[in-house]
Amino acid sequence: MSRRIPHGEQTSEAELAERYYERRHEDSDWGEPQALEKPARLDVTLSVRFTREELEAVRGAAERAGVKPTAFIRQAAVQALERAPVDRARLERDLATALEFTRDAQRALAS
């Protein structure tokens, strides 16, 4: 039989392990089982090239996130899919218009 441990009293890991082992069949300790979501099968490989500096930055960021570099890269790519892509043609038009306005302003200030 296990002894009751008063609330707030320090216990060793061995005492805690023994306590939980003795109570391992008590359902109240475990709650309802949670269904695990099975990840999709990853069956396609894509090679990506990085500079040494980029790779070190990716490895560092992955380590800080607690995942492997490949998982970090995959997550970053999937997150990028959720953002609107850059419309390069519109960007070029907008920059050309901004440059034209800048030149007009310079001419107006010079006169």
Side-chain angles (χ1 to χ4, degrees):
M1 179 175 253
S2 66
R3 80 176 168 93
R4 288 264 180 225
I5 301 170
H7 183 69
E9 183 179 316
Q10 293 292 328
T11 59
S12 71
E13 286 188 28
E15 289 172 323
L16 283 175
E18 180 183 339
R19 179 175 175 225
Y20 288 118
Y21 180 78
E22 289 172 358
R23 298 183 63 199
R24 69 188 179 279
H25 298 296
E26 295 181 20
D27 290 339
S28 64
D29 286 344
W30 301 104
E32 290 297 315
Q34 300 293 317
L36 295 177
E37 186 176 318
K38 185 177 179 184
R41 179 173 164 86
L42 303 176
D43 57 354
V44 178
T45 301
L46 174 68
S47 295
V48 180
R49 292 182 180 257
F50 293 101
T51 64
R52 291 188 195 289
E53 293 80 18
E54 290 169 336
L55 181 57
E56 286 307 311
V58 168
R59 285 180 174 157
E63 186 177 331
R64 287 188 298 279
V67 296
K68 293 182 179 180
T70 53
F72 182 83
I73 294 166
R74 185 173 46 257
Q75 288 172 1
V78 170
Q79 287 174 356
L81 294 173
E82 297 171 1
R83 295 189 297 264
V86 173
D87 181 345
R88 291 174 99 50
R90 180 176 177 186
L91 181 60
E92 286 179 15
R93 287 192 307 270
D94 290 348
L95 287 173
T97 301
L99 181 59
E100 188 178 321
F101 286 147
T102 302
R103 288 182 179 148
D104 288 347
Q106 286 175 335
R107 282 192 291 271
L109 290 172
S111 59

